Amino acid sequence: MTIANKATFKLHFEERGRGLPLLLIHGFPFSGRMWAGQLESLSKSARVLAPDLPGFGDSPARQGAASVDQYAEDCLSVLDALHIMDPVVIGGLSMGGYIALAAARLFPLRVSGLILASTRAGADTAESKTTRDKTIAQVKESGASVVAESMYPKLLSSDTYKDQPAVANELKAIMRTATSEGVIAALAAMRDRLDSTDLLPNLHMPVLIIHGKDDRVIPPAEAEGMAKAIPNNALHLIDKAGHLPNLEQPEEFNRSVTKFLGKLV
Ligand code: MLT
């Protein structure tokens, strides 16, 4: 389905199931397709909504700069388009987690539960900001594929590369759909995002933190740090999973989310 609430803004999203809405926000440089292994399974206990952020998957890029807060508003516009005004569960992986935290800060009354997967609360360090700028320059020169090529070797656990070639191929296929405009906007948005560390003790809703034990993009210590700071949370570290536990160990990931959703209704 696609919403087009302004002449220049279109957002594609997938929708499955009924009941408690669960908005799943993808990481970088992926798309809503990364949740394919969640849609059927989680739709047994929730109404799952998985948008493609602007410039990723089937959503066209937007003109001009983006911000993580803007992405949070984009995702909530899916709820507005479906007239969902009651609070929902928002889950995000990595960049999607930055966006989920922004949604909890900006619209706390619209969030009844949070799922923070493979993410961190802190802002970019000075060094990471410089790396983002260099990557933006490379994408301007050579296209979005430079990001996919440099990230690919770090994204999955060594077990997944070895034992699940179909998952590795699907990941490459998902990354190929990212546009240069979308990638550049997201890199700048992540570079400039706010630090959410101070928000953590004030999160009033239940939070599920999921992280791959072999994540080499965002170390599991970040998840453990968030678990110490968030009052009402459950932490689930997944074996044989790197940065994409939902793709690498979908059954365990889905069981964890289903259990969390069961406690919310
Ligand atoms: C992601 O997976 O969304 C990105 O690796 C996050 C980031 O670059 O900070």
Side-chain angles (χ1 to χ4, degrees):
M1 204 167 152
T2 299
I3 52 167
N5 60 1
K6 289 180 200 137
T8 54
F9 177 69
K10 286 200 176 72
L11 208 69
H12 170 85
F13 64 96
E14 293 295 325
E15 178 180 13
R16 296 273 195 296
R18 281 184 295 177
L20 176 68
L22 167 63
L23 182 62
L24 292 177
I25 310 174
H26 65 81
F28 171 88
F30 316 123
S31 73
R33 181 170 154 186
M34 64 164 270
W35 301 115
Q38 279 62 59
L39 286 183
E40 286 314 317
S41 166
L42 297 182
S43 68
K44 292 181 193 129
S45 29
R47 179 179 182 187
V48 189
L49 304 163
D52 290 338
L53 292 167
F56 296 92
D58 289 328
S59 291
R62 183 185 13 227
Q63 296 299 311
S67 67
V68 163
D69 287 4
Q70 176 67 61
Y71 288 146
E73 286 186 33
D74 293 344
C75 291
L76 289 197
S77 71
V78 171
L79 303 178
D80 296 339
L82 298 172
H83 308 291
I84 298 172
M85 294 303 156
D86 285 339
V88 305
V89 180
I90 301 188
L93 183 137
S94 200
M95 177 178 75
Y98 310 157
I99 298 168
L101 283 166
R105 171 172 47 79
L106 293 169
F107 310 105
L109 299 180
R110 297 194 75 175
V111 188
S112 60
L114 264 187
I115 301 168
L116 301 174
S118 314
T119 197
R120 56 157 55 96
D124 269 14
T125 60
E127 195 187 339
S128 326
K129 285 179 198 277
T130 306
T131 307
R132 302 271 195 215
D133 286 335
K134 283 189 190 145
T135 313
I136 289 172
Q138 286 170 344
V139 174
K140 283 185 179 159
E141 188 155 321
S142 315
S145 61
V146 291
V147 170
E149 278 156 27
S150 72
M151 287 184 77
Y152 175 74
K154 286 185 296 194
L155 287 170
L156 304 172
S157 77
S158 50
D159 293 291
T160 307
Y161 288 115
K162 187 161 48 77
D163 302 333
Q164 302 193 72
V167 168
N169 286 335
E170 170 64 359
L171 178 61
K172 281 188 191 159
I174 293 173
M175 292 198 287
R176 272 199 291 275
T177 66
T179 65
S180 297
E181 295 88 339
V183 164
I184 290 168
L187 284 165
M190 290 192 284
R191 176 197 63 202
D192 299 336
R193 74 185 187 278
L194 295 178
D195 191 323
S196 293
T197 308
D198 289 349
L199 175 71
L200 302 181
N202 299 314
L203 289 173
H204 63 88
M205 68 292 285
V207 180
L208 172 63
I209 302 167
I210 308 186
H211 218 98
K213 284 190 186 167
D214 305 327
D215 192 336
R216 284 174 290 155
V217 179
I218 297 182
E222 295 283 352
E224 288 162 342
M226 289 194 294
K228 287 198 183 106
I230 298 173
N232 179 3
N233 79 85
L235 171 65
H236 188 156
L237 296 177
I238 299 192
D239 270 328
K240 297 191 174 202
H243 193 51
L244 290 153
N246 65 307
L247 279 179
E248 302 179 67
Q249 300 297 339
E251 284 174 17
E252 187 169 344
F253 186 95
N254 295 345
R255 262 200 308 278
S256 185
V257 173
T258 303
K259 186 170 160 203
F260 178 69
L261 295 174
K263 287 191 186 148
L264 294 179
V265 285

